[in-house]
Amino acid sequence: MDSSLPYAVRHLDDPAVAAIACDHQAVGTDATRHLLSQDMWPVAFLGGRRTSALSARLGAGYLAACRRAGRVPQKWMYITGDYQTEPARAAVTRLLTERPHTRALVAANAPMALGAISAAADLGRRIPEDLAVVCCEDVHLLTHIRPAITAVALDLDELGSQAVGTLTSVLAGEKVDATRQLPYRLVVRESSIPHATGPEPTG
């Protein structure tokens, strides 16, 4: 078994620059934990490019959740889709063909989640009965396809408020925190559990 993370982790934090950021490692952890809490396994991680800092942090969260649940991901459970629908569709098609027992998938962004759903449909796999899907990015489209896709949603109103407040403070010469964390929530929809009813609390 191979529990290593096949992504180059790059830390972009600069103490001299004020930033508003989401804790993407926590996002990856919560998305994965939602699936593992339902005894789904194996759970695969669909990331973008292997040099991507975003995929590295989401993947680190995925790995952390697996380890906390006593699961050890193998190398084949990490697949890449270049953040695009068609490459993701091809990658998930290969995954489900070669590893048909794969039970769930965490996708790094919405286009790749859509590609995963398409691949499952092409192979006659039902969502979520045969393959559950959680997306680490929420966009309006995910609520209108069927099944609607469970996703992590950022609080965009809070983002706007914090951005304006931070900029105002900087322009006034006031000291501001180097990084402020942006709240998020896991919105549970049909793609991860039957009869989904609403958001789950997150830490």
Side-chain angles (χ1 to χ4, degrees), residues 25-174:
Q25 182 166 334
V27 167
T29 295
D30 287 343
T32 307
R33 184 168 53 193
H34 168 66
L35 298 168
L36 295 174
S37 68
Q38 301 175 78
D39 296 323
M40 294 182 184
W41 189 256
V43 177
F45 176 72
L46 175 59
R49 293 173 289 278
R50 293 186 182 275
T51 56
S52 164
L54 172 61
S55 283
R57 293 185 175 184
L58 292 172
Y62 160 82
L63 180 58
C66 290
R67 286 176 170 171
R68 289 174 192 171
R71 302 287 191 175
V72 182
Q74 299 182 38
K75 189 173 182 179
W76 64 264
M77 296 181 193
Y78 296 96
I79 60 175
T80 59
D82 200 29
Y83 296 120
Q84 299 177 53
T85 299
E86 286 307 316
R89 182 176 182 173
V92 175
T93 296
R94 288 193 299 271
L95 173 71
L96 296 181
T97 300
E98 297 171 2
R99 307 282 182 170
H101 61 296
T102 302
R103 181 62 188 87
L105 181 76
V106 175
N109 75 347
M112 292 196 297
L114 295 174
I117 294 285
S118 295
D122 291 343
L123 296 172
R125 301 288 294 271
R126 299 169 300 163
I127 306 291
E129 291 84 0
D130 301 321
L131 182 74
V133 177
V134 175
C135 182
C136 294
E137 173 191 40
D138 197 21
V139 298
H140 194 56
L141 175 62
L142 301 187
T143 68
H144 290 285
I145 67 170
R146 291 296 177 266
I149 299 178
T150 294
V152 176
L154 298 180
D155 189 335
L156 297 182
D157 289 338
E158 180 64 17
L159 171 61
S161 176
Q162 287 197 30
V164 171
T166 299
L167 179 60
T168 300
S169 297
V170 169
L171 293 176
E174 300 173 1

